[in-house]
Amino acid sequence: MIKMGAKRSRTTKQLSPISCDSEVKSSPTIASAVKVASSEDLLIQILLLVPIKTLMGFKSVSKQWLYLITDPRFIRLRYPLPPSASALFFPSSFCRSNPDYQFIPLDISEVSPTPFKTLNFTRDPLGSGISVLQSCNGLLLCASHQAREFNRRYYVYNPTTRQFATLPKIRREYSKNVLGMSLAFDPSKSPSYKVVCVRTFGKLKQIEIYSSETQLWRVSGEPFTAPKYMEFGNSRFWNGSVHWWNNSFHNNTWRDEPYSLYFKVDEERVEQLPMPVKHISRVQMYLVAFYLGESEGHWHLIEVNSDFTSLFDVYEMAIDHSGWFVKYQVDLSAISSVFPEIIKNNRYGYAFNIISLVRRGKEEDDESFLVLEIPGGKFVRYNLMDKSVKKLWESAPIGYKFYNEDGLKYGRALPYIESLACV
């Protein structure tokens, strides 16, 4: 039996009779409809199966339906596990004005309308538009686009319901020291969310936390040290923790700082996350991360392919943060046999960007895949189990000046996830 509220009767008394006509009263279809509408348990079971876009329209049917669909307990029933991404998105250009966003559908057989092209849910007072900083289980952390920190506004936005919340500013004397903001939200555990702010504190770093429950900022824990090239503005949320990217891996200083940092939100504690170790010719080496990301409750790292071989490994972190293990192996020759343009001209190696790793299915029917950008504005889907390759999407040409020397444009993309979560 499903209980949505102790004080609410499961049999609604607010519904008006559909018709007084005797023939309509005797109609089996109408009688069944009245029975469904009058049983909250049965109605919930049906609404749990309705597509989310249809569900948005059902909110206007009655106050009862609006209450059920927006109730946090209904949302948790609908999403008992972290929700799946239906698309990936990224800005199509980096300019001073409001950025446009491109979407890549993850299902080749289904083409759905673009959820949004620009973010116009509110008029940002700075006039430069709004950009997305992070996507977290259906909610987006957004900010004034290319604005100075002490003037910048931050927002939490649900693109499915089009609801948003404007975050209060942290103390003005701290605003110029902000290094990054991160959204922490797990709808399978709580309907509320938190925003984690990292700012400088002398030579150290300090964390402040905003809670959607209190709608206030507060200082969390003691100041801490961090690697020199830690990017607090580039974060992902996984397993109750905010994970930050250590850019020293791309500045050849990772040997001195072979770890990244993560913040356990509920325990309010900063921890170190060592990079995986690889043994080559009896020499122990820390891997240089080419990709770090989360999907379907899994945390992945993909190594830099520095020896120009066609093979590289995908690592997964144990759920308790205890260590890395090899989960998949990628064979670039399987991609080059279908798309030869991935092979660099007159140079060794391959030209590609890893856009995202998407987990699908369980161990016995694993259909996980990589989304890669290859020269020519093409995005391909590489199945990590059977090594099959398909073209997923192709971007319209904008001009060569937007591409690097390998003919590649984009970096990592953000997941688009439909959600009923309230902000």
Side-chain angles (χ1 to χ4, degrees), residues 2-15 37 39-41 43-44 47-48 55-77 163 420 422:
I2 300 174
K3 295 182 179 181
M4 297 298 294
K7 296 183 179 180
R8 284 182 56 89
S9 170
R10 293 189 188 87
T11 302
T12 179
K13 298 179 180 179
Q14 300 177 358
L15 297 176
S39 171
E40 201 164 90
D41 279 351
L43 183 57
I44 290 169
L47 293 178
L48 288 173
L55 206 58
M56 291 296 96
F58 282 178
K59 288 164 56 175
S60 61
V61 170
S62 68
K63 291 183 179 179
Q64 179 206 17
W65 285 38
L66 174 63
Y67 171 86
L68 291 177
I69 294 170
T70 58
D71 191 292
R73 286 159 290 189
F74 173 81
I75 297 172
R76 189 176 296 188
L77 286 171
Q163 295 176 330
L420 296 173
C422 298

Side-chain angles (χ1 to χ4, degrees), residues 82-244:
S84 300
S86 59
L88 303 172
F89 70 99
F90 39 73
S92 60
S93 62
F94 298 92
C95 54
R96 294 294 300 176
S97 60
N98 212 18
D100 291 343
Y101 287 91
Q102 296 274 359
F103 280 77
I104 302 177
L106 293 179
D107 192 333
I108 299 174
S109 62
E110 295 183 9
V111 179
S112 57
T114 299
F116 58 85
K117 186 175 182 180
T118 60
L119 293 175
N120 53 8
F121 54 85
T122 188
R123 183 176 178 82
D124 188 80
L126 301 184
S128 60
I130 301 171
S131 56
V132 181
L133 304 180
Q134 182 191 352
S135 172
C136 184
N137 290 320
L139 298 184
L140 304 181
L141 178 63
C142 307
S144 305
H145 184 57
Q146 295 190 0
R148 293 184 178 181
E149 190 61 49
F150 61 85
N151 285 328
R152 178 173 290 181
R153 297 288 182 92
Y154 287 92
Y155 310 91
V156 175
Y157 176 54
N158 184 332
T160 305
T161 64
R162 299 184 180 179
Q163 295 176 330
F164 74 95
T166 303
L167 302 188
K169 291 186 176 182
I170 64 172
R171 292 173 59 178
R172 186 173 179 84
E173 61 266 32
Y174 296 149
S175 62
K176 65 179 180 180
N177 299 322
V178 170
L179 299 175
M181 296 275 192
S182 304
L183 182 60
F185 174 56
D186 185 349
S188 66
K189 295 182 178 179
S190 172
S192 62
Y193 60 86
K194 294 179 181 179
V195 178
V196 177
C197 170
V198 181
R199 58 178 173 83
T200 57
F201 187 83
K203 295 182 179 181
L204 302 175
K205 308 294 183 289
Q206 178 67 63
I207 287 178
E208 292 197 32
I209 297 178
Y210 170 84
S211 170
S212 62
E213 292 181 325
T214 64
Q215 300 184 12
L216 297 172
W217 288 101
R218 63 175 177 82
V219 174
S220 171
E222 299 295 326
F224 62 96
T225 59
K228 180 179 180 181
Y229 292 100
M230 186 64 61
E231 288 192 8
F232 292 103
N234 190 349
S235 65
R236 297 290 187 271
F237 180 72
W238 172 70
N239 195 23
S241 302
V242 172
H243 289 253
W244 295 295

Side-chain angles (χ1 to χ4, degrees), residues 278-289:
K278 192 171 188 177
H279 293 84
I280 301 177
S281 300
R282 298 183 180 181
V283 177
Q284 177 176 296
M285 298 180 62
Y286 286 99
L287 294 184
V288 181

